[in-house]
């Protein structure tokens, strides 16, 4: 009896189903399956295998199916001191990049949320770096922070300070890269915050004015709490950004000096395309993936809890 | 009191604007210096004499016309595919009820958390297998749809009244005809924003060309630029900066011309969802 009932609902569902929808999503689904889902599964499978690629001149690299070796690739990764170093380096980058970008974009959004002369020009200035490629921005910053002829050391020279060789210093190279990344993205996040600010009703501020609240108090009690949802989204976007730092490393330092700027993606690139350690590179990719997922999920949980105000 | 505050806000804004402009200023000034002047310390804040010779030189050195065309072909084709495919999918997810729509949506959201580096290696093998290695099509087809694009269009399409589609259906309009003659024209502003965002993303793409291209005559601009600093025979920094100006210029011009749509697209694309 129950079975028949189910069959009926199924029939009813099938009749109501809009079959043309599948035609509309078909191209998108083919591309996503072929070039995102399949690669993602391939990586997972390869991380448990001993894949040895075959190089054919002029036609690229072919995979040769390897033997199953269990968790050996993961063990190798965790034993690799460079992997640990890249984790530390990526963290160092994040610790500078995330607060800097967040603080500047909120501050700029608050400053730009008013009517003054030249506001459109200024908004454009802050936004232009975002349309510049990471490669171009990296080259500009290499020039700015060059030890022998850079502008920064030139200015320091005027103050009688001998500037360091920024990008060849194991402690300073990463902060420079983080500052460059921030410079490129602040405009983008400023815009997101600006959109959020414009959604806050002006009457809230008027009421606070009457109560005699200072600008800082108003920011702390009205602006910041109401921007919390956006901040959560921005945080996740910035975090994903930290796990993708590759191009700036490739161009600016090549991982040096003394491995101080090797990030996780840069290491994965080297393992895969320099040493052809396919299995190990896949294992590293999956460790990275799991970390991203865990952080996103926890963030989501915290987010949904804090939202009940 | 209030006026004083406004004054401080203004001043800090002006200072920040100047700081933000410094890298761009330095890019332009450096590209105008001679080989001799660029190596001087302390650096000159403005070139002693404006040297425009760097530009024709790097134009030739980079095979600029060829490289520029490669970039243009890749960015435009990819953008067209993204716009068409993402809009079609966005339409289905916004306006059609079909079995599995929730599941497929979850899968799509899930793919957004996959870091780009995870896909790099397998993409490389797939491209090789399909015989697209070292061909421009390898930079177009795999990137012909973005999950961001699907969501972006879905949000816009949800605002179109259902009655419009119903009326057309009653008049005997076919599903694809509805999409192309009724939905698409209504989406012009959304499509423009999406197209600009995706064009800029693809124009700036570096990692994929680095992995998927081998012959220098197929290089795109950022790849060529990125390889400059790796070349064994180094060219002077003034020329690297001139090449950089040439690479940045097209995308900045597009941005300045279509700024309104670009800003609108970013604002509505990232905040709503």
């Amino acid at each position: 009896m129950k079975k028949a009932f189910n069959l009926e609902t199924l029939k009813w569902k099938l009749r109501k189903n809009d079959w043309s929808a599948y035609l509309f999503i078909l191209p998108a689904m083919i591309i996503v399956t072929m070039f995102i889902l399949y690669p993602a599964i391939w990586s997972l499978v390869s991380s448990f295998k001993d894949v040895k690629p075959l190089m054919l001149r002029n036609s690229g690299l072919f995979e040769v199916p390897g033997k199953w070796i269990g968790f050996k690739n993961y063990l190798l990764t965790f034993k690799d001191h460079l992997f640990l170093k890249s984790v530390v380096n990526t963290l160092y980058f994040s610790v500078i990049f995330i607060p800097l970008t967040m603080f500047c974009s909120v501050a700029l959004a608050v400053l730009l949320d008013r009517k003054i002369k030249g506001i459109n020009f200024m908004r454009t200035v802050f936004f232009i770096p975002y349309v510049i490629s990471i490669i171009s921005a990296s080259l500009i910053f290499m020039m700015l922070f060059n030890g022998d002829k850079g502008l920064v050391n030139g200015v320091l020279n005027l103050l009688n300070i001998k500037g360091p060789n920024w990008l060849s210093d194991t402690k300073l190279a990463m902060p420079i890269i983080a500052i460059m990344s921030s410079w490129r993205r602040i405009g983008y996040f400023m815009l997101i915050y600006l959109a959020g600010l414009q959604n806050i009703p002006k009457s809230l501020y008027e009421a606070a004015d009457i109560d005699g609240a200072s600008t800082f108090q108003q920011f702390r009690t009205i602006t910041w709490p109401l921007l919390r949802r956006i901040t959560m989204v921005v945080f996740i976007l910035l975090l994903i950004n930290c796990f993708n730092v590759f191009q700036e490393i490739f161009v600016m330092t090549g991982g040096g000096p003394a491995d101080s700027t090797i990030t996780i993606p840069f290491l994965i690139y080297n393992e895969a395309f320099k040493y052809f350690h396919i299995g190990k590179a896949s294992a590293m990719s999956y460790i990275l993936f799991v970390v991203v997922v865990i952080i996103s999920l926890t963030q989501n949980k915290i987010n949904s809890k804090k939202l009940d105000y | 009191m209030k006026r004083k505050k406004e004054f401080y806000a203004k001043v800090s804004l002006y200072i920040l604007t100047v700081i933000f402009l410094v890298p761009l200023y330095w890019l332009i000034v450096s590209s105008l210096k001679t080989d001799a002047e660029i190596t001087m310390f302390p650096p000159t804040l403005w070139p002693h004499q404006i040297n425009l010779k760097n530009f024709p030189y790097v134009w030739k050195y980079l095979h600029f016309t060829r490289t520029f065309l490669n970039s243009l072909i890749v960015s435009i084709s990819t953008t067209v595919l993204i716009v068409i495919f993402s809009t079609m999918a966005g339409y289905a997810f916004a306006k059609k009820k079909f079995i599995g729509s929730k599941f497929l949506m979850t899968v799509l959201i899930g793919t957004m958390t996959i870091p780009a580096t995870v896909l790099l290696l397998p993409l490389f093998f797939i491209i090789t297998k399909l015989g697209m290695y070292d061909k421009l099509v390898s930079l177009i087809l795999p990137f012909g749809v973005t999950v961001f694009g699907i969501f972006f269009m879905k949000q816009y399409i949800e605002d179109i009244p259902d009655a419009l589609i119903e009326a057309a259906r009653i008049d005997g309009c076919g599903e694809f005809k509805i999409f192309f003659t009724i939905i698409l024209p209504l989406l012009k502003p959304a499509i423009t924003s999406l197209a600009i965002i995706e064009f800029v993303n693809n124009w700036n793409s570096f990692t994929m060309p680095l992995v998927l291209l081998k012959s220098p005559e197929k290089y795109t601009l950022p790849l060529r630029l990125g390889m400059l600093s790796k070349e064994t025979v180094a060219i002077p920094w003034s020329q690297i900066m001139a090449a950089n100006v040439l690479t940045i210029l097209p995308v900045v011009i597009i941005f300045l011309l279509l700024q309104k749509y670009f800003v609108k697209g970013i604002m509505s694309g990232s905040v709503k969802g």
Side-chain angles (χ1 to χ4, degrees), chain B residues 61-86:
Chain B
Y61 186 87
L62 293 182
H63 305 280
F64 189 82
T65 324
R66 175 79 254 182
T67 321
F68 176 81
L69 280 177
N70 287 342
S71 269
L72 207 62
I73 293 169
V74 169
S75 314
I76 291 183
S77 326
T78 316
T79 307
V80 169
L81 288 187
I82 291 175
V83 165
I84 296 176
F85 292 162
S86 302

Side-chain angles (χ1 to χ4, degrees), chain A residues 13-14 16-18 20-25 27-29 31-32 34-40 42-43 53 58-63 108 111-112 114 116-117 119-122 124-133 135-136 139-144 146-151 153-154 157 183-184 186 188 191-192 194-195 198 209 215 229-230 233 240 243-244 246-247 250-251 254 265 268-269 272-273 278 281-282 285-286 288-289 292-293 296, chain B residues 2 5-6 9-10 12-14 16-17 19-24 26-27 30 38-43 45 85 88-89 91-93 96-100 104 107-108 111-130 132-133 141-145 147 150 169 175-176 179 200-201 204 206-207 210-211 214 222 225-227 229-230 237 240-241 244 247-248 251-252 255-256 259 262-263 266-267 270-273:
Chain A
K13 263 190 181 167
L14 286 176
K16 280 272 283 189
N17 196 31
D18 191 341
S20 69
Y22 297 110
L23 284 176
F24 278 97
I25 61 167
M29 283 334 271
I31 291 176
V32 169
M34 268 184 88
F35 300 110
I36 300 179
L37 291 178
Y38 174 74
W42 186 94
S43 256
N58 295 326
S59 54
L61 206 60
F62 284 90
E63 57 165 308
L108 271 177
L111 285 174
L112 282 168
R114 66 189 70 221
I116 52 172
K117 241 187 185 171
I119 199 97
N120 280 329
F121 170 75
M122 282 186 268
T124 310
V125 166
F126 294 119
F127 200 73
I128 280 183
Y130 182 68
V131 292
I132 292 177
S133 71
I135 299 303
S136 296
L139 289 172
I140 299 173
F141 271 70
M142 278 172 90
M143 183 87 235
L144 278 174
N146 190 301
D148 318 315
K149 48 187 187 266
L151 175 68
N153 279 0
N157 191 48
W183 176 74
R184 252 198 91 240
I186 284 169
Y188 177 84
L191 213 57
I192 294 179
L194 205 55
Q198 281 165 2
D209 262 338
T215 315
R229 223 174 82 89
I230 295 179
V233 177
I240 289 175
F243 290 121
N244 276 321
F246 166 75
Q247 307 177 25
F250 185 88
V251 173
I268 294 174
Y269 175 85
F273 294 99
I278 310 297
S282 303
S285 314
Y286 258 86
L288 178 63
F289 178 49
V292 173
V293 168
S296 311
Chain B
K2 192 111 198 172
K5 251 184 236 157
E6 276 303 298
K10 261 189 212 173
S12 34
L13 248 183
Y14 293 141
L16 281 170
T17 314
I19 294 176
F20 251 73
L21 274 173
V22 168
L24 295 173
W26 203 241
L27 162 75
S30 304
I38 197 90
T39 54
M40 281 205 281
F41 190 83
L45 290 181
F85 292 162
M88 280 169 64
Y91 171 59
F93 281 117
K96 289 177 178 288
K97 286 188 175 61
F98 58 99
I99 298 167
L104 290 175
V107 170
L108 285 177
T111 62
M112 286 174 107
T113 52
I114 304 174
T117 24
V118 177
L119 304 175
L120 208 57
L121 196 58
L123 255 181
F124 183 70
F125 284 124
I126 294 169
I127 295 294
T128 315
K129 235 184 250 170
L130 293 173
M132 296 196 293
Y133 177 69
L141 197 61
F143 309 100
V145 74
V147 178
I150 297 177
R169 213 168 272 155
E175 290 299 322
F176 278 87
F179 177 73
V200 171
N201 279 343
N204 288 337
F206 173 78
T207 315
L210 173 71
V211 172
K214 206 185 79 191
L225 195 65
M227 291 320 230
S229 55
K230 303 259 166 246
W237 272 93
I240 293 184
M241 285 303 128
N244 206 355
T247 309
I248 291 173
V251 74
V252 168
F255 164 67
L256 290 178
Q259 197 186 3
F262 197 82
V263 168
I266 297 235
M267 279 180 145
S270 21
V271 184
K272 262 197 194 167

Side-chain angles (χ1 to χ4, degrees), chain B residues 3 45 50 56 68 106 115 136 150 165-166 183 213 223 225:
Chain B
R3 220 181 243 168
L45 290 181
I50 289 180
F68 176 81
T106 319
L136 287 184
I150 297 177
I165 303 165
E166 277 308 314
I183 305 290
L213 297 180
L223 181 58
L225 195 65

Side-chain angles (χ1 to χ4, degrees), chain A residues 82-97:
Chain A
L82 265 187
F83 181 73
L84 291 176
K85 183 130 207 193
S86 73
V87 172
V88 173
N89 290 341
T90 309
L91 276 175
Y92 185 26
F93 176 90
S94 321
V95 167
I96 302 167
F97 171 74

